[in-house]
Amino acid sequence: MAGDNAIETEVVVAERTDLADGIVGLTLRAADGGALPPWRPGAHIDVLLGDDVVRQYSLCGDPEDGTWRLGVLKEGPGSTIVHERIRPGDRLRTRGPRNNFALEDAPRYLFLAGGIGITPILPMAAAAEAAGADWRLLYGGRRLSAMAFLDELSRYGDRVEVRPQDESGPLDLDAALASVEPGTLVYCCGPEPMIAAVEERCAERAPGALRTERFAARPDTGPREAFEVELALSGKTVEVPAGCSILEAVEKAGVDVLSSCREGTCGTCETPVLEGEPDHRDAVLTDAERADGGFMMICVSRSRGPRLTLEL
């Protein structure tokens, strides 16, 4: 996994703009006037908003311009703080960047964005264009006035197809994926029903091509049996009850683990697995990483057997 989860940076809000209905943009600079940690398309940061409120936001600006730009949809308590309280000149603490959605080299890309899911896709499109790759973007939203970055995307012409649902209906994913050629990578970010639909179609038509990022946890329908976890570095063995996560059990045992979302979407609590078979329930790892079993997100994932050994 890419990124240093432990890097904390104090930033200052240099600019705040209204991007669309219910979406504000923040431009952040290092509070000390220095350089911000570097990032590449697909990266996100944690924003620490006080009172144990931590939210993850994708970086949607230019990796080379020395700032971080966020697009924040007003949805939930964390984003409400951003919309109602955060103004230019305010200082914020951040962690990261971290990248679980990195843009890989490919000759062709299909980008699929729903709503605020356009934020990580925007710098990907710019990178694909700069690399001379063949790419297209299908961007859907509830209505045109609620869709951010339309002016920026207009410079790409017919590579970008904008589909507001109130005018065009739901995205035609079957049509978008029908012509995916071998060697094309598909990047998708948006609401859970959209991502699940794309996953289903790509499994049939373009296995191995899909890369996704979720803003909400996957539905957890797996069994929740108790098991033991050996903490190799701490010399402790802890019981993980059926109604408890590994992260919660480890914290109760007095072992500190860096965590953020606690729902398997951010990658902060990624932990090396030394022995045992994880039952992966996160929205971060790729299929290949899951099959390898070398890491797991201990905030949601569990064990397939009676015991795991973790590097904690």
Side-chain angles (χ1 to χ4, degrees):
M1 308 299 294
D4 189 334
N5 297 345
I7 293 178
E8 284 206 10
T9 305
E10 186 178 25
V11 299
V12 62
V13 179
E15 185 179 354
R16 173 188 163 118
T17 57
D18 292 323
L19 297 176
D21 292 348
I23 302 175
V24 298
L26 300 181
T27 300
L28 309 177
R29 298 186 183 276
D32 63 4
L36 290 169
W39 64 281
R40 304 310 305 163
H44 67 270
I45 59 171
D46 295 344
V47 180
L48 287 66
L49 294 166
D51 297 326
D52 297 323
V53 177
V54 181
R55 292 294 180 268
Q56 293 77 44
Y57 297 112
S58 296
L59 295 173
C60 57
D62 180 350
E64 307 300 330
D65 75 356
T67 68
W68 288 342
R69 183 173 65 163
L70 314 178
V72 181
L73 173 67
K74 190 174 183 180
E75 184 178 58
S79 62
T80 298
I81 292 173
V82 172
H83 275 250
E84 296 183 357
R85 302 185 197 173
I86 303 303
R87 297 292 183 269
D90 288 345
R91 294 190 174 216
L92 299 170
R93 287 190 304 128
T94 65
R95 282 200 299 256
R98 184 168 50 254
N99 201 334
N100 306 318
F101 193 43
L103 184 67
E104 302 170 30
D105 290 336
R108 288 173 298 280
Y109 300 97
L110 172 61
F111 299 119
L112 302 171
I116 198 63
I118 191 62
T119 50
I121 299 296
L122 190 67
M124 290 185 179
E129 181 76 3
D134 183 13
W135 66 274
R136 57 195 177 99
L137 163 62
L138 181 61
Y139 175 23
R142 295 187 303 277
R143 59 189 183 280
L144 206 61
S145 63
M147 299 175 72
F149 306 116
L150 295 178
D151 288 346
E152 291 183 42
L153 291 169
S154 66
R155 67 189 177 100
Y156 298 122
D158 59 7
R159 285 193 184 276
V160 178
E161 184 177 353
V162 175
R163 290 290 179 182
Q165 187 169 349
D166 64 343
E167 299 177 17
S168 309
L171 294 181
D172 190 345
L173 298 175
D174 290 312
L177 293 165
S179 58
V180 172
E181 301 176 48
T184 301
L185 290 182
V186 180
Y187 280 79
C188 177
C189 187
E192 176 59 30
M194 173 188 171
I195 295 178
V198 173
E199 285 178 330
E200 180 181 355
R201 287 160 174 79
C202 281
E204 299 173 356
R205 303 174 190 179
L210 180 61
R211 309 290 186 269
T212 65
E213 182 164 67
R214 285 172 160 86
F215 294 135
R218 288 177 181 267
D220 184 0
T221 58
R224 299 187 65 83
E225 299 175 355
F227 56 95
E228 285 186 341
V229 174
E230 179 184 351
L231 310 180
L233 301 182
S234 305
K236 298 181 178 182
T237 298
V238 300
E239 177 82 9
V240 182
C244 178
S245 70
I246 298 175
L247 177 61
E248 291 167 338
V250 168
E251 289 175 334
K252 289 177 183 176
V255 177
D256 291 331
V257 180
L258 192 63
S259 66
S260 183
C261 73
R262 305 180 84 92
E263 59 180 21
T265 61
C266 75
T268 305
C269 68
E270 180 186 72
T271 301
V273 179
L274 303 181
E275 293 183 24
E277 184 181 2
D279 179 5
H280 296 291
R281 304 186 185 190
D282 64 276
V284 174
L285 296 175
T286 65
D287 289 341
E289 290 167 334
R290 290 167 180 247
D292 177 76
F295 294 87
M296 68 186 299
M297 306 304 151
I298 63 172
C299 63
V300 292
S301 297
R302 303 185 70 78
S303 177
R304 294 190 180 277
R307 189 179 180 92
L308 284 174
T309 303
L310 303 179
E311 192 176 281
L312 285 175

